[in-house]
Amino acid sequence: MGTLGGRNGWGRKRRWWQGKAAPGPVGFGVFLSLEDISNEDLYKHQIVKIPETFQSVSHYMWSFVFPLLEETRAELCLSMETISNAPYSEIVSIEEASSQEFYDIRVHCWKNESINGGKEIYKPMPYDVFILSNIKLETVSDLKRNGSLFNLCSIVKVEEDGGSTTDFKVRASKHIEISDGMKESLFMIFLGNITTNSRIWKSLHVGSLATGNLTIIKDVLCPDSSVCDACVLCSSESRNTNNMCLDGASELNDLQISAVLGSISEMQCNHKCSVKLIWGPPGTGKTKIVSKLLWAVLGMKHKVLTCTSTHVAIWEVTSCLLKVAKKNKQGSRGTIPLYTNWEIFSFFLDYRVDRLVECFDPSSGWLNLVASMIDFLNYVVSHYHLYLENETTNVHENMASFISRKEFEDMATLLNELENFKKLLSEASFVDKELQEIFMQLEGNRLDSLQGWQCKSSLQFLICEARCECLRLLKAVKDSIHISYFHEKNLIREFCLQNASLIFCTASSSFELLSVQIQPLDLIIIDDASQLKECESAIPLQLQGLKHAVLVGDENQLPAMVKSKVSEAAGLGRSLFQRLSSLGISKQLLEVQYRMHPSISLFPNAEFYSGKMLDGPNVKTKAYERQFLPGIMFGPFSFINVTHGEEEVDDVSHSIKNMVEVGVVLQIVRRFYKGTFLKYCLSRFIFSAC
């Protein structure tokens, strides 16, 4: 088996952690070889079970290192099993960059573009890992073919995506001996993306001198920590959170209200750090109370980060918050923008950055539009005559200001004044000459020069006054727009993050906030906390200034997915929520479930929740007792034994499938559909006949 390049093993650079070498895969700063990826025993003897308590922060961080390395190896190894269906491309050019082991590569368009089960089209990203080879790999055994050359590399930066060709910078695990003939016969085969694991690796401070905020981390190491206990000083001050305004409290039960108010109370404590555990079995309203808590702290002008395990979960939390905002849009929350169609895309950071880039365009952005509006209101009659000559002036009413609350208030007032100005003009019954006379009186005058001119009617005066007020506000808005500062997307991204009251992201993505100078967070909420590896939860907990955290989850539900059996046995999939819970740390139980029919909740309640879970009044209604088809199989639940089924690995998504079970489910769905559709037709016929 050949190698593409002259170096083997781990490469030349090693990172040290307490005197120990910590080799890692591509992207971690130290590299694995393809042989290492296939070696299931590579870290087997270096992994020990992650303890429940820790002696120090170093002990805590180091406990996750080798299980994380083994998990990354296992993920890449699993991807190699389906290498024949992986996206690949032929290399157009490859050049060695200024530093060793870095290369500039250009490739043709990608083949086999579908990834994640065909749900997405592949686009190269940083931390994508590739096999660089002189042959198009069909199976793992091709790596052993005589004359085959290969290397492992990861994308450092995507320089340019021009559609048919893509330029990017990569880092290789071994030096590549470049020759003219080699340039014409190289392929890059996508293996996987290790962004999340790389972020966890960096957050563990392996090979890095940077340190984050370890205040909360230090407090969750030992079981005797008081981090989860109520503050004695705050209790003595008798802070009364029950008197706080909680919009929509009537929609919550007593325990849900207590969870929200208790979280707010701990967030306001300045004496100690706190970690609050909210335990919510399925259907008890975990996401609902998170949205209510966010809405409450938003009105209190706090800065809060909400993390989840997946982007789908972020979508769910944000959607729930928007529903709360829509119901309470007549309230005092002025910092959440409300959209007509409630498009959640409008809240995505990338969407807002793109919109702000348009707004700061010198030729067509805010500054140009505000200047045009000022000119228009100063010289209304002149522009009117130009309009009559079929030359139009575009007036944009959706102008905005930013930076300070005063300027934001000016923006809101301006929109109201423009609407008032429009209303006054629509109510006026003046003829054309009268309107021209009104606006000619102030043409080119100073903004405050209403003095010395007697209006012929009160409506005339109101119109003139409204125009002057619009001009005053427009000038204030214009002065607040600083185009020069926002000429780069990165600066606009930082501006959005610095000024946002609520930030939503996955726990992994919160790593980007570690390098952004933002105002210290008042609170972090981790939803689905029991589905996050503890080492992943450690990323957002290290944000500067953070002292209070709320973990919402249920350790009895599915934990984080771990693909390595060795890492799973070591406890890599255990969450911080589960570890603290197992140590006897108190957690607030949301005991009323509003999702399952009582006959369904009966088993999990008895088996996993010691009978503590109660059924909500809605699941006891007749609506939950409806049976659309006769037979016991179509009751609230059924156990169906499917024989002769075999599990197999899907070639694309790597997931397990059982086609016999799929066939059984399809038959049940068809029967259900036919039965319910027939009932629907009969009911419509009877209703029509009546």
Side-chain angles (χ1 to χ4, degrees), residues 249-266:
S250 59
E251 302 172 9
L252 304 177
N253 61 43
D254 291 343
L255 288 175
Q256 291 173 332
I257 293 175
S258 175
V260 173
L261 295 181
S263 300
I264 295 174
S265 178
E266 294 192 11

Side-chain angles (χ1 to χ4, degrees), residues 210-428:
T211 57
N213 171 27
L214 301 178
T215 306
I216 292 182
I217 297 293
K218 290 178 181 178
D219 284 340
V220 297
L221 301 182
C222 304
D224 57 351
S225 170
S226 62
V227 71
C228 295
D229 298 333
C231 177
V232 177
L233 294 175
C234 285
S235 299
S236 63
E237 292 173 2
S238 301
R239 179 183 289 121
N240 188 6
T241 58
N242 291 323
N243 292 330
M244 295 177 183
C245 176
L246 184 59
D247 292 331
S250 59
E251 302 172 9
L252 304 177
N253 61 43
D254 291 343
L255 288 175
Q256 291 173 332
I257 293 175
S258 175
V260 173
L261 295 181
S263 300
I264 295 174
S265 178
E266 294 192 11
M267 177 191 66
Q268 294 178 308
C269 174
N270 296 318
H271 309 110
K272 61 185 287 292
C273 293
S274 69
V275 176
K276 183 177 180 63
L277 304 184
I278 299 177
W279 180 25
T284 53
K286 296 188 291 294
T287 302
K288 186 174 183 178
I289 68 163
V290 168
S291 64
K292 293 288 187 180
L293 173 57
L294 289 172
W295 183 246
V297 297
L298 180 63
M300 300 165 66
K301 314 304 179 188
H302 287 287
K303 195 175 185 73
V304 180
L305 171 67
T306 303
C307 292
T308 65
S309 55
T310 65
H311 291 289
V312 174
I314 282 291
W315 183 287
E316 185 178 353
V317 172
T318 311
S319 299
C320 194
L321 174 62
L322 291 178
K323 291 177 182 177
V324 174
K326 186 176 181 180
K327 287 183 179 179
N328 297 279
K329 63 182 179 180
Q330 303 300 326
S332 59
R333 312 298 197 272
T335 52
I336 271 195
L338 304 180
Y339 295 86
T340 304
N341 296 321
W342 293 91
E343 298 175 282
I344 194 172
F345 289 105
S346 302
F347 289 85
F348 288 168
L349 178 59
D350 288 341
Y351 173 88
R352 292 193 167 189
V353 169
D354 290 340
R355 292 291 295 118
L356 283 173
V357 168
E358 296 175 8
C359 292
F360 288 119
D361 188 297
S363 61
S364 60
W366 283 338
L367 193 60
N368 177 269
L369 294 170
V370 171
S372 297
M373 175 69 88
I374 291 173
D375 181 65
F376 176 77
L377 290 180
N378 262 327
Y379 302 97
V380 176
V381 177
S382 301
H383 282 287
Y384 174 65
H385 287 300
L386 289 174
Y387 173 77
L388 294 178
E389 296 173 8
N390 295 323
E391 293 185 30
T392 60
T393 298
N394 294 324
V395 181
H396 197 300
E397 293 188 358
N398 292 324
M399 302 175 201
S401 179
F402 51 89
I403 307 300
S404 71
R405 174 164 292 277
K406 171 64 168 61
E407 291 159 351
F408 179 82
E409 291 172 351
D410 283 346
M411 177 196 72
T413 306
L414 171 60
L415 293 175
N416 289 332
E417 286 297 329
L418 287 170
E419 188 64 33
N420 179 52
F421 190 29
K422 177 181 176 182
K423 183 179 179 182
L424 288 171
L425 289 173
S426 65
E427 292 176 352

Side-chain angles (χ1 to χ4, degrees), residues 104-257:
D104 294 320
I105 292 179
R106 171 174 290 183
V107 300
H108 277 306
C109 55
W110 298 93
K111 309 292 179 58
N112 291 354
E113 291 182 304
S114 297
I115 57 175
N116 294 335
K119 298 176 182 177
E120 300 177 34
I121 299 299
Y122 174 72
K123 294 186 68 174
M125 297 174 57
Y127 294 108
D128 279 354
V129 178
F130 289 87
I131 295 176
L132 193 153
S133 175
N134 64 335
I135 61 173
K136 168 61 179 77
L137 299 175
E138 297 295 339
T139 64
V140 178
S141 60
D142 287 343
L143 296 171
K144 299 180 181 179
R145 188 189 305 177
N146 290 334
S148 64
L149 303 174
F150 58 87
N151 203 335
L152 203 63
C153 61
S154 69
I155 293 180
V156 176
K157 180 181 180 182
V158 179
E159 302 285 357
E160 184 178 355
D161 190 350
S164 60
T165 61
T166 305
D167 296 340
F168 43 76
K169 187 181 294 293
V170 305
R171 187 173 185 182
S173 60
K174 294 170 291 198
H175 179 69
I176 302 174
E177 299 292 346
I178 300 174
S179 63
D180 291 337
M182 183 181 297
K183 292 182 184 179
E184 299 172 359
S185 59
L186 289 181
F187 294 89
M188 293 195 70
I189 302 99
F190 174 69
L191 197 58
N193 182 278
I194 56 171
T195 297
T196 297
N197 289 358
S198 296
R199 288 168 172 170
I200 296 173
W201 173 270
K202 291 177 181 178
S203 73
L204 296 177
H205 308 293
V206 177
S208 173
L209 297 177
T211 57
N213 171 27
L214 301 178
T215 306
I216 292 182
I217 297 293
K218 290 178 181 178
D219 284 340
V220 297
L221 301 182
C222 304
D224 57 351
S225 170
S226 62
V227 71
C228 295
D229 298 333
C231 177
V232 177
L233 294 175
C234 285
S235 299
S236 63
E237 292 173 2
S238 301
R239 179 183 289 121
N240 188 6
T241 58
N242 291 323
N243 292 330
M244 295 177 183
C245 176
L246 184 59
D247 292 331
S250 59
E251 302 172 9
L252 304 177
N253 61 43
D254 291 343
L255 288 175
Q256 291 173 332
I257 293 175

Side-chain angles (χ1 to χ4, degrees), residues 68-79:
L68 178 65
L69 291 173
E70 162 59 18
E71 174 64 9
T72 307
R73 183 210 64 79
E75 290 175 359
L76 294 175
C77 183
L78 185 61
S79 297

Side-chain angles (χ1 to χ4, degrees), residues 622-636:
K622 291 184 178 180
Y624 267 73
E625 297 176 359
R626 288 181 298 178
Q627 186 168 334
F628 294 96
L629 292 176
I632 191 172
M633 187 176 73
F634 295 100

